[in-house]
Amino acid sequence: SPALCNNETNFFCWYQCLDIPNSDHTMDYLQDGYSLYCLDPAILLSSDNSIPDATDPCEEGYVHNSNCMGSWQLPDENVPGYDFPYFDPSLIEDSGPVSEYHTELEEQYCYGGTSMYMDGFHWIGTTCVIYLFPEWVLSTPSKFAWANIGSIFFAILLEFTLFKRRSIYAMSPGKCRLILSALVCGIQLAMVYFIMLVIMTYSVLAIILHWSLLLGCWCIV
């Protein structure tokens, strides 16, 4: 709930506390008449900056929608902005024109980042996919393409690992076979875990991995 957010560096959106954009200038934005909205930036840009259309899918933060994020916008009389209980306009001094720190949203390949689309499968989502690690955000078509290529090779490598593990059983029983079998088993489990995480993004990467595993079976077996 909003009560769990500090409302200074983060605010309630997408059923969690998300970072406030340009949080260092929160007071400046409020003083200059801007409001903070939990909205879908892709809808905002495609609807000619319609605040009602962009905020409707986000339901004031009370919905699991990975497309939603915070954005400072001029207020819409039909849509109240996020409530900052500590804000008192009479106590704030004007620190300069908003143009000094405000940047308008620009159309991008995707926005923000998520490791799982909470509202189901997305062929192409407006929220960037986080590929395994926080630093690997697929924010451009080229990054997404490289992730697909990497997934293909990773799936084939898993099938190769399974093949090598089966071949270990042909060795004579003993400590060497036991150690190799345990080592390859550990590698296999780690690879399966990573593949599971990619599939659970509910993006096109899941389909790529599925067909890549089939390709690996056909190539290795």
Side-chain angles (χ1 to χ4, degrees):
S1 70
L4 299 177
C5 304
N6 62 29
N7 297 317
E8 295 180 1
T9 59
N10 55 56
F11 79 116
F12 185 70
C13 180
W14 184 23
Y15 261 125
Q16 58 185 306
C17 296
L18 296 184
D19 291 339
I20 296 177
N22 285 350
S23 59
D24 291 341
H25 295 286
T26 295
M27 290 297 185
D28 298 325
Y29 274 110
L30 295 173
Q31 174 65 29
D32 289 325
Y34 277 68
S35 293
L36 180 63
Y37 290 102
C38 177
L39 52 74
D40 186 330
I43 295 179
L44 182 70
L45 293 171
S46 63
S47 62
D48 195 24
N49 292 334
S50 172
I51 300 297
D53 291 343
T55 56
D56 184 61
C58 300
E59 300 181 13
E60 297 184 355
Y62 291 95
V63 64
H64 286 294
N65 187 340
S66 58
N67 297 331
C68 299
M69 59 182 292
S71 178
W72 291 104
Q73 300 292 326
L74 291 173
D76 186 294
E77 59 181 10
N78 298 316
V79 183
Y82 188 78
D83 180 36
F84 289 91
Y86 57 82
F87 175 63
D88 182 359
S90 64
L91 301 178
I92 304 298
E93 295 182 0
D94 190 359
S95 60
V98 71
S99 59
E100 291 184 1
Y101 45 83
H102 180 67
T103 55
E104 296 291 343
L105 286 173
E106 297 180 356
E107 188 170 0
Q108 303 175 17
Y109 174 71
C110 57
Y111 304 86
T114 182
S115 56
M116 177 192 296
Y117 287 119
M118 302 297 292
D119 53 342
F121 182 84
H122 285 231
W123 184 258
I124 298 179
T126 56
T127 303
C128 303
V129 174
I130 299 175
Y131 191 81
L132 297 177
F133 302 101
E135 296 79 10
W136 295 2
V137 181
L138 309 182
S139 56
T140 64
S142 60
K143 290 181 180 179
F144 199 85
W146 279 113
N148 280 285
I149 294 173
S151 298
I152 292 172
F153 282 104
F154 200 73
I156 295 175
L157 182 61
L158 173 61
E159 290 300 326
F160 178 76
T161 303
L162 292 172
F163 172 77
K164 295 302 292 183
R165 185 184 179 191
R166 288 191 292 267
S167 67
I168 292 175
Y169 296 132
M171 299 172 59
S172 300
K175 183 179 294 185
C176 182
R177 190 179 81 167
L178 180 61
I179 293 175
L180 283 176
S181 179
L183 178 62
V184 175
C185 180
I187 295 173
Q188 173 194 334
L189 290 174
M191 295 178 68
V192 169
Y193 179 72
F194 282 129
I195 286 177
M196 179 197 70
L197 291 178
V198 174
I199 291 176
M200 289 180 64
T201 61
Y202 293 107
S203 68
V204 69
L205 290 167
I207 298 177
I208 295 295
L209 270 174
H210 173 76
W211 287 103
S212 299
L213 289 169
L214 293 178
L215 177 63
C217 291
W218 180 77
C219 293
I220 304 301
V221 177

